[in-house]
Amino acid sequence: MTKRITMMGCQVDNLTMEETLQTIDGFIQSGKPHQHVVVNVDKLVKAAHDAELRRIINDCALVNVDGMPVVWASRLLGKPLKERVAGVDLFEALMQRSSRTGWRVFLLGAREEVVSEVKRQYEIKYPGLTVCGYRNGYWKPEEEAGVVEQIRAAQADLLFVAISSPKKEHFLGQYQEHMKIPFAMGVGGTFDVAVGRVKRAPLWMQKSGLEWFYRFLQEPRRMFRRYFIEDMAFVWLFLKEAARR
């Protein structure tokens, strides 16, 4: 694996999509548990104020950047990342790869009707795909141990966790060693995109760093605080790091 770079306190692997997929191949062949995370503007801001989240990110076996503003910031800071590796694109590539390799997939998160529809659609889309288990992302604290055991018992090769940050990072950080999944990845709202409940931005908006704005237009009341208040702290984080150069 290429040497990691540090972005605003978080370590990031400077890999292309193809290099990322090759790394995951190795993880699964090893049979040992590995946690993956993607960082974007929102997660870097959260990690700056959450030492435990920052520790979990830096302990992950694989860290990709999902967000063009972070890629641009890396170039301005003199440590350019090769490319953005979007979580939704990595999920799609791994589902397709699993249908060819026989890897077993577990889907965790979102609402029951969404996660069950992901299973249904992808088993049709990729014949040969084995979804060895799935569960919605809503449970009470006293049910959590049962959720963990359900996942462990399924003996999956890949686990996709579609719950919000930082909950998914903390969940995997706490239980991944026990669940023993060779590759576990938080995918946020990817399940909603996968089944068409949320539309993804046109390619030109993705490449120009405007995917967040397209998401805001779809859910303005829900996303306003995140994008226009909380994530504005990214500018300050960037300026502080630039001043240290």
Side-chain angles (χ1 to χ4, degrees):
M1 185 181 292
T2 55
K3 185 177 179 180
R4 287 186 159 184
I5 67 171
T6 302
M7 290 287 297
M8 301 160 196
C10 291
Q11 296 178 28
V12 178
D13 294 302
N14 194 3
L15 301 173
T16 64
M17 173 65 82
E18 185 53 39
E19 289 168 342
T20 296
L21 290 168
Q22 290 173 10
T23 301
I24 295 167
D25 282 344
F27 290 166
I28 295 175
Q29 289 172 21
S30 78
K32 298 177 181 178
H34 299 83
Q35 183 176 348
H36 170 272
V37 67
V38 294
V39 296
N40 52 20
V41 167
D42 185 67
K43 203 164 295 178
L44 287 174
V45 169
K46 284 182 167 65
H49 304 288
D50 184 339
E52 179 62 9
L53 174 60
R54 188 166 61 250
R55 182 196 66 77
I56 291 170
I57 291 171
N58 291 337
D59 284 348
C60 282
L62 182 59
V63 184
N64 289 124
V65 163
D66 182 354
M68 285 307 299
V70 182
V71 174
W72 294 333
S74 75
R75 294 169 183 169
L76 292 170
L77 292 168
K79 38 190 174 184
L81 291 162
K82 294 176 183 177
E83 66 181 32
R84 172 196 186 200
V85 179
V88 65
D89 294 331
L90 184 56
F91 168 77
E92 188 72 29
L94 287 171
M95 292 291 271
Q96 184 180 34
R97 215 175 186 95
S98 296
S99 71
R100 299 197 310 265
T101 59
W103 294 340
R104 295 162 57 84
V105 172
F106 196 103
L107 305 170
L108 175 69
R111 297 187 180 279
E112 181 68 24
E113 64 271 20
V114 173
V115 66
S116 61
E117 184 64 9
V118 174
K119 177 182 185 295
R120 188 190 72 81
Q121 287 191 21
Y122 275 76
E123 286 178 337
I124 294 171
K125 187 175 185 179
Y126 298 124
L129 176 68
T130 301
V131 177
C132 61
Y134 71 95
R135 193 198 189 285
N136 66 61
Y138 299 87
W139 59 81
K140 297 175 182 177
E142 61 269 24
E143 297 174 319
E144 189 155 281
V147 174
V148 172
E149 285 306 317
Q150 180 186 353
I151 297 167
R152 178 184 168 95
Q155 297 184 317
D157 297 299
L158 299 99
L159 168 65
F160 296 108
V161 182
I163 54 182
S164 61
S165 291
K167 183 179 177 180
K168 62 179 178 290
E169 287 81 15
H170 287 295
F171 177 83
L172 289 175
Q174 183 174 354
Y175 297 116
Q176 173 62 334
E177 284 294 324
H178 176 73
M179 295 187 296
K180 298 188 183 303
I181 309 295
F183 181 73
M185 172 184 178
V187 295
T190 292
F191 289 179
D192 288 308
V193 175
V195 299
R197 289 173 66 96
V198 173
K199 291 184 179 180
R200 197 170 180 200
L203 191 58
W204 71 268
M205 293 188 81
Q206 296 177 37
K207 291 182 176 179
S208 60
L210 290 173
E211 191 163 12
W212 68 271
F213 186 65
Y214 189 84
R215 178 76 188 280
F216 166 72
L217 292 177
Q218 292 185 78
E219 298 182 276
R221 294 182 64 182
R222 178 167 175 260
M223 306 307 295
F224 179 85
R225 180 175 178 81
R226 170 177 166 177
Y227 290 138
F228 292 98
I229 299 176
E230 295 172 356
D231 288 359
M232 289 298 103
F234 178 76
V235 177
W236 174 240
L237 293 175
F238 170 78
L239 291 173
K240 284 205 310 184
E241 184 146 331
R244 289 196 290 266
R245 288 183 61 193

